[in-house]
Amino acid sequence: MKRDTKFHEFVYEIENILDELLIAFLSFGAIVVSVWTLQRTQGLTMSSFGDIIQPWIVMLGLMIIGRELWMMNRNLEEYLRREEGE
């Protein structure tokens, strides 16, 4: 049981690191795309800028929502496991 718990914690930490890196990548990508678009594009309207940046923002939002749901699920599992043990 102890070994299984250690492996579970290891997998959790790896998932956590990967999620953080992906969120950082998407955030950095959105910033770079925004700056590049604003500097290079002539005749840019808010609508065309929104079309360019929208995929980055949507993916970033989905990653953040998914991460929060994943963390809530883990916290709920830990709470139920503690309540079951008492």
Side-chain angles (χ1 to χ4, degrees), residues 18-65:
L18 289 175
D19 281 346
E20 290 291 331
L21 288 174
L22 190 55
I23 288 171
F25 171 76
L26 289 171
S27 299
F28 183 69
I31 293 168
V32 168
V33 167
S34 295
V35 170
W36 184 83
T37 301
L38 291 173
Q39 288 180 350
R40 302 279 188 247
T41 307
Q42 302 298 326
L44 182 69
T45 65
M46 287 306 284
S47 179
S48 60
F49 180 69
D51 290 340
I52 293 169
I53 197 69
Q54 180 259 341
W56 289 93
I57 301 302
V58 168
M59 287 307 298
L60 182 59
L62 290 174
M63 277 300 301
I64 291 171
I65 290 168

Side-chain angles (χ1 to χ4, degrees), residues 1-15 70 74 77-78 81:
M1 185 74 162
K2 183 79 169 169
R3 190 172 186 192
D4 185 45
T5 303
K6 283 184 179 181
F7 180 73
H8 181 72
E9 289 297 319
F10 174 75
V11 170
Y12 169 74
E13 288 299 323
I14 294 298
E15 289 174 339
W70 174 67
R74 185 170 193 281
E77 283 178 0
E78 290 294 322
R81 202 172 291 139

